[in-house]
Amino acid sequence: MAPTTNSAATATAHSFTKILNQYKSSSKARSSNDVEESVKKLRRLILVDGIPSSVDPTLRPRIWKILLRVHNVSADLFLAYVGRGPCEVREKIRNDTFRTLATDRGFKERVREDMLVRLLDAFVWRNHDRQDSDHLGFTYVQGMNVLAAPFLYTMPSELEAFFCFAKFIEESCPLYVQPTLEGVHRGLKLLDRCLKIVDPELYGHLRAKNLAAEIYAFPSVLTLCACTPPLDQVLQLWDFLLAFGVHLNVLCVIAQLLLMRDKLMQSSSPMRLLRSFPPLDALPVIGIAVTLVRDLPMDLYDELVRHPYAVEDH
């Protein structure tokens, strides 16, 4: 993914628009091969050029909906959930929503707290109705407010944000939002194992200071890096994660460690540096994460791919 000039960004926007139009027509014709081919082209373009949102702000929401396979949104259904009022864990939701991306003025201007509360209430009601053996159960858990924030910021309506968020949680990372946060803890263990392979020296330095990923990387894994500003860089990173899989967030966190490697290695107390990561810079983080994939043994990478969603027998 390379930085783009204005003319390059405009050309990229045209390329995205062309693929989106192809996708629209192939979706209507119901050819699954054509649809899949369009999605592949979108992924490739996201990796090579990034989504030029500054040129065309409508691109990101349209592309996210395609990547998440959100085709139908029902206003009646969403309004029915909202109409049920506060869910049983409303107090827990309100304890978190007011501080969601609190330092980001642009976010605060676009996304009011009541929008977050409404979306999270509706999500709890939706899953209150779906308690059956085919689905993992969901309620509100810590971190969900931050995972909902990019959808409310990006999508043109609360309605679309709700259905994208619900699909994302239920299919992409259901284990991240179980009451035990099982997927998050698995991700943190995998982060340690991957770091030990890709940079044994840095891993050894951190472990010598009793620093496991559980201690320093919990917020970054829990929120898929949405806890590290600025938001425009978070959205670029999420373009990549939605295109290629949320499991890659673990490698994106390692990429951030590698970008601050020299300072970490020189520090006698690296936790001071890790308490708050440097501002996110999506392009180098994505570039490093992609190269790290090649360094991992296949069985470990397979475990990484499965950890956000695959329920395993204990």
Side-chain angles (χ1 to χ4, degrees):
M1 200 193 282
T4 46
T5 61
N6 275 349
S7 58
T10 304
T12 303
H14 283 311
S15 301
F16 272 113
T17 304
K18 193 175 166 188
I19 298 169
L20 289 169
N21 290 338
Q22 283 171 355
Y23 177 87
K24 209 171 177 182
S25 57
S26 63
S27 294
K28 280 177 185 161
R30 302 244 177 248
S31 160
S32 57
N33 283 349
D34 289 348
V35 169
E36 207 45 58
E37 198 49 46
S38 296
V39 173
K40 270 186 196 163
K41 284 179 188 168
L42 280 179
R43 288 194 179 113
R44 202 173 304 128
L45 209 49
I46 287 167
L47 189 59
V48 174
D49 293 316
I51 299 174
S53 299
S54 56
V55 176
D56 182 352
T58 72
L59 285 174
R60 178 169 281 131
R62 289 159 72 197
I63 290 165
W64 280 19
K65 281 164 76 175
I66 288 170
L67 294 172
L68 288 162
R69 290 179 162 76
V70 172
H71 306 305
N72 301 306
V73 295
S74 164
D76 289 347
L77 194 55
F78 178 60
L79 291 171
Y81 294 140
V82 171
R84 287 157 88 164
C87 70
E88 63 210 12
V89 287
R90 162 65 77 83
E91 204 172 316
K92 204 173 167 188
I93 290 172
R94 288 299 298 270
N95 282 342
D96 290 341
T97 48
F98 75 93
R99 52 174 170 244
T100 306
L101 306 189
T103 58
D104 191 294
R105 189 179 298 165
F107 176 77
K108 286 294 182 193
E109 282 169 4
R110 194 181 300 187
V111 180
R112 298 185 316 276
E113 187 189 355
D114 63 293
M115 292 160 70
L116 257 176
V117 171
R118 213 168 15 249
L119 182 147
L120 293 165
D121 263 339
F123 180 74
V124 174
W125 281 123
R126 168 185 169 92
N127 284 284
H128 186 269
D129 294 346
R130 298 173 76 213
Q131 302 294 345
D132 59 58
S133 55
D134 292 341
H135 293 102
L136 283 165
F138 296 96
T139 182
Y140 177 77
V141 298
Q142 173 194 8
M144 239 184 216
N145 56 314
V146 185
L147 293 174
F151 292 107
L152 280 167
Y153 185 83
T154 299
M155 290 296 151
S157 69
E158 279 182 59
L159 175 66
E160 288 157 287
F162 170 74
F163 282 100
C164 287
F165 170 75
K167 191 84 180 272
F168 174 70
I169 290 294
E170 290 161 8
E171 294 187 10
S172 300
C173 56
L175 295 185
Y176 270 52
V177 294
Q178 293 304 301
T180 59
L181 304 180
E182 182 189 342
V184 178
H185 293 299
R186 277 161 67 173
L188 290 160
K189 287 190 177 78
L190 284 160
L191 197 157
D192 277 328
R193 288 167 60 196
C194 293
L195 182 60
K196 190 175 182 179
I197 287 168
V198 302
D199 195 334
E201 195 184 0
L202 177 58
Y203 172 80
H205 178 63
L206 295 176
R207 288 316 293 250
K209 308 290 181 189
N210 293 318
L211 290 177
E214 284 272 357
I215 295 166
Y216 65 80
F218 182 83
S220 296
V221 173
L222 174 73
T223 65
L224 306 178
C225 291
C227 62
T228 306
L231 182 56
D232 68 314
Q233 297 298 304
V234 170
L235 298 178
Q236 271 194 56
L237 190 69
W238 275 41
D239 296 339
F240 168 68
L241 295 177
L242 292 177
F244 294 96
V246 297
H247 63 282
L248 289 166
N249 180 56
V250 168
L251 300 184
C252 291
V253 180
I254 292 177
Q256 289 170 82
L257 297 178
L258 296 178
L259 287 168
M260 55 198 290
R261 184 184 195 279
D262 291 346
K263 286 182 179 173
L264 289 170
M265 291 301 292
Q266 288 158 16
S267 174
S268 55
S269 55
M271 189 59 201
R272 275 189 201 155
L273 298 166
L274 293 167
R275 200 160 278 127
S276 106
F277 279 30
L280 188 64
D281 192 356
L283 291 180
V285 166
I286 291 166
I288 293 167
V290 169
T291 63
L292 291 178
V293 171
R294 296 196 290 266
D295 297 333
L296 298 177
M298 201 165 288
D299 58 339
L300 177 57
Y301 185 69
D302 183 55
E303 232 180 295
L304 190 65
V305 169
R306 292 162 53 80
H307 87 272
Y309 64 84
V311 179
E312 290 173 0
D313 298 327
H314 295 293

